[in-house]
Amino acid sequence: MSFWNRRNRTIVIGAVPVIALVSLLGMPRIPGTDIDLTVPYAAEGKGPTFNTLGDVDGRPVVQIEGEEPDKTMGHLNMTTVSVRTNMTFAQAMSRWLTTDDTLVPIEQVLPSGKSQEEVREQNAAAFAASESNATISAMNYLKRPLETMVVNVREGSPAADVIKVNDIITKIDDQKVTLPDDLAKLVQEHKPGEDITVTVLRQSREKTFTVKLAETPKKLLPPHTKGPVAFLGVTSVAQPSGDLKVKYNLTDIGGPSAGLMFSMAVVDKLSPDNLTDGKFVAGTGTIDAEGKVGPIGGITHKIAAAKDAGATVFLVPDQNCKEAVTGDVDGITLLKVDSLSDAINDLKTYNSGGNASTCQAG
């Protein structure tokens, strides 16, 4: 009997479009066209974790200058989530079936109307803000004074060629500036086109400049902002006043979720108490200037990554506790925290064998 009979011919001919479809599902776009075949989802999974008490590329993750840091022990690891986008259907299904990744709508990681470059800029700005807030909250906890230092001057902005990186901004007009929020508030009390007087300390010498404010570019404004907003064009961070300096040496990490662990590391390095008692502690959470800890995304992936790295304790933002206990939490204690002082106190209580506040199932 010939192989090429009616039955086999029907099977082969019928399989051609199926094979073609499967092949297309593995391609990012139809060849010769602009038709995009990637799925509108991102895959989130376990990301790298870094000990904020340790080193990265030969430098301390949290670097103290101007005074000798106290000796630390153990780990205070910040955690991250890996994100994969621009996946074909086949790639997305592979992540879902063969890994612990979760698929989320692409809008959760790439907001509508934003390019990947704009999202990277926003994440970098959020990371810088988390560093600034970590320093502020740690200095407030330690009762140390602060000042506002310029870390970037936007090209073509009103501040360009007038204000320089490393300037300490002390006044806007006659109003004192202590924190970056003070600077933003005082600038935004003015309208675009108005003049302001900026006083800075530059290499310990006071200098004063008159600057005409511009209008903030729309792409730099938060969503739903109404009306024109005055624009100076500097990015600033809070730092301890005087000789003490705190630097953060992680690069290529975005978003605000490292704030809590950065702040914990600063406190640990500038106080005699050993926060970890030698344990491997990890955690996550945003932090604001007042030391309030906020929720983050991907909590189960971060806990899994910390467990893989050897952590036995994980600091969980209060609002993430319900989701945190849905993951694999065997062998790791989840301490529930809502502020920097709460995290430090709970960790001390746990280390001494007391009843610290934990995330509970149910």
Side-chain angles (χ1 to χ4, degrees):
M1 179 183 297
S2 171
F3 173 80
W4 196 248
N5 57 31
R6 179 180 296 177
R7 178 175 178 273
N8 288 344
R9 186 166 60 249
T10 301
I11 292 172
V12 170
I13 294 172
V16 169
V18 175
I19 294 171
L21 176 60
V22 171
S23 298
L24 285 175
L25 292 176
M27 296 180 179
R29 63 181 65 251
I30 295 178
T33 76
D34 292 327
I35 300 176
D36 189 357
L37 292 178
T38 57
V39 295
Y41 290 90
E44 292 186 341
K46 294 180 288 188
T49 176
F50 303 91
N51 182 14
T52 59
L53 299 178
D55 293 346
V56 60
D57 297 329
R59 296 183 299 172
V61 173
V62 177
Q63 186 171 344
I64 305 297
E65 297 180 349
E67 70 176 68
E68 187 68 25
D70 285 274
K71 186 176 180 180
T72 61
M73 299 170 56
H75 287 243
L76 282 173
N77 274 47
M78 59 156 288
T79 50
T80 66
V81 173
S82 66
V83 178
R84 295 171 177 83
T85 59
N86 295 320
M87 296 183 296
T88 64
F89 177 81
Q91 290 169 332
M93 290 304 296
S94 176
R95 302 303 309 177
W96 184 60
L97 292 171
T98 65
T99 73
D100 292 328
D101 285 9
T102 52
L103 298 182
V104 298
I106 193 68
E107 291 80 9
Q108 289 190 23
V109 295
L110 289 174
S112 179
K114 297 284 187 181
S115 69
Q116 289 192 357
E117 181 59 32
E118 288 173 332
V119 171
R120 277 193 290 269
E121 285 185 7
Q122 287 184 341
N123 285 339
F127 194 68
S130 75
E131 293 175 342
S132 182
N133 285 340
T135 301
I136 296 170
S137 57
M139 292 302 107
N140 286 339
Y141 180 86
L142 296 168
K143 296 180 171 53
R144 296 197 180 203
L146 289 153
E147 63 190 15
T148 293
M149 183 182 73
V150 176
V151 293
N152 185 59
V153 180
R154 192 175 183 88
E155 186 176 350
S157 70
D161 301 322
V162 177
I163 298 174
K164 298 183 181 297
V165 171
N166 295 327
D167 280 352
I168 307 299
I169 299 181
T170 60
K171 291 180 184 178
I172 295 295
D173 297 325
D174 292 324
Q175 301 296 306
K176 182 179 179 182
V177 172
T178 301
L179 302 176
D181 280 352
D182 299 335
L183 173 60
K185 180 181 177 182
L186 290 170
V187 168
Q188 290 169 16
E189 286 178 354
H190 292 267
K191 297 178 181 179
E194 292 183 350
D195 290 341
I196 62 170
T197 300
V198 183
T199 303
V200 305
L201 279 177
R202 181 177 298 166
Q203 297 178 343
S204 301
R205 294 183 178 181
E206 187 172 273
K207 294 180 177 291
T208 301
F209 306 99
T210 299
V211 180
K212 185 181 292 294
L213 297 172
E215 182 176 343
T216 303
K218 289 184 178 180
K219 68 178 183 179
L220 299 180
L221 290 172
H224 313 301
T225 301
K226 294 182 179 179
V229 177
F231 181 61
L232 178 60
V234 301
T235 301
S236 62
V237 297
Q239 67 176 22
S241 60
D243 294 332
L244 177 63
K245 298 291 180 284
V246 179
K247 294 183 178 179
Y248 303 90
N249 291 317
L250 277 182
T251 58
D252 299 325
I253 302 291
S257 65
L260 170 62
M261 303 312 292
F262 279 157
S263 194
M264 295 279 288
V266 174
V267 171
D268 204 8
K269 289 192 170 194
L270 291 176
S271 59
D273 292 339
N274 184 271
L275 297 187
T276 68
D277 196 33
K279 295 180 177 62
F280 194 134
V281 179
T284 188
T286 65
I287 200 162
D288 65 17
E290 284 72 44
K292 182 72 175 176
V293 174
I296 49 77
I299 186 69
T300 56
H301 297 303
K302 291 184 174 183
I303 293 170
K307 278 188 61 177
D308 288 350
T312 57
V313 182
F314 197 97
L315 304 179
V316 181
D318 189 355
Q319 296 178 58
N320 286 124
C321 264
K322 186 175 180 179
E323 180 186 357
V325 296
T326 65
D328 179 10
V329 296
D330 289 341
I332 192 166
T333 299
L334 306 183
L335 296 183
K336 180 173 64 174
V337 301
D338 63 11
S339 67
L340 173 61
S341 59
D342 185 35
I344 292 172
N345 291 335
D346 273 356
L347 195 52
K348 287 181 178 179
T349 299
Y350 175 80
N351 288 336
S352 65
N355 292 321
S357 179
T358 59
C359 298
Q360 302 290 335

